[in-house]
Amino acid sequence: MTTAPGQAPVAQPGLPRHPLDPDPARATKARAVFALGLIGALTGLFVGGVVPATLALQLARQARREAYASGGFLTGAAWLRRGERLAWTGLVLVTVSVVVAVVFGVVRLADTPYGQDFAPNVD
């Protein structure tokens, strides 16, 4: 069974394993996605979390493609899910902090006097 022309064959569940098949291994990108997602969530309020969170989401996309193409020999789906959730949390925190900063800026701008403020002794 193949997924599409030109792609690697996908292993069918329940079939006996061939002796030359590789052993299942955890995808290294899964750990990287989790680490970047964690950094993104921890630094999300400081707006610096947008870069690692975005990188985590892009890397998770690649890791899912590789895991699918490997036919089940790459593991680490739980790490990918956790990393993606942390990355989205980091992006939400970045959005919240930017919205709060804009609201504070608008309120502060609205409180400033309009026009020139002359001294009391100037006509």
Side-chain angles (χ1 to χ4, degrees), residues 72-123:
F73 295 113
L74 283 177
T75 61
W79 287 97
L80 280 174
R81 279 192 306 273
R82 289 181 197 133
E84 283 179 320
R85 286 181 188 150
L86 287 170
W88 280 113
T89 302
L91 288 176
V92 167
L93 289 173
V94 166
T95 305
V96 166
S97 64
V98 167
V99 167
V100 167
V102 167
V103 167
F104 277 135
V106 168
V107 168
R108 181 170 243 175
L109 184 66
D111 285 343
T112 59
Y114 183 71
Q116 287 185 328
D117 190 23
F118 292 107
N121 59 354
V122 175
D123 287 335

Side-chain angles (χ1 to χ4, degrees), residues 11-94:
Q12 294 179 357
L15 294 178
R17 199 171 144 214
H18 191 274
L20 297 178
D21 284 344
D23 290 330
R26 182 179 296 150
T28 55
K29 286 185 180 180
R31 289 181 186 166
V33 167
F34 180 76
L36 286 169
L38 184 64
I39 292 169
L42 291 176
T43 60
L45 284 176
F46 306 114
V47 187
V50 72
V51 173
T54 306
L55 288 174
L57 292 175
Q58 291 296 322
L59 213 59
R61 197 169 170 201
Q62 292 175 5
R64 285 199 191 281
R65 271 196 224 125
E66 289 176 5
Y68 183 76
S70 73
F73 295 113
L74 283 177
T75 61
W79 287 97
L80 280 174
R81 279 192 306 273
R82 289 181 197 133
E84 283 179 320
R85 286 181 188 150
L86 287 170
W88 280 113
T89 302
L91 288 176
V92 167
L93 289 173
V94 166

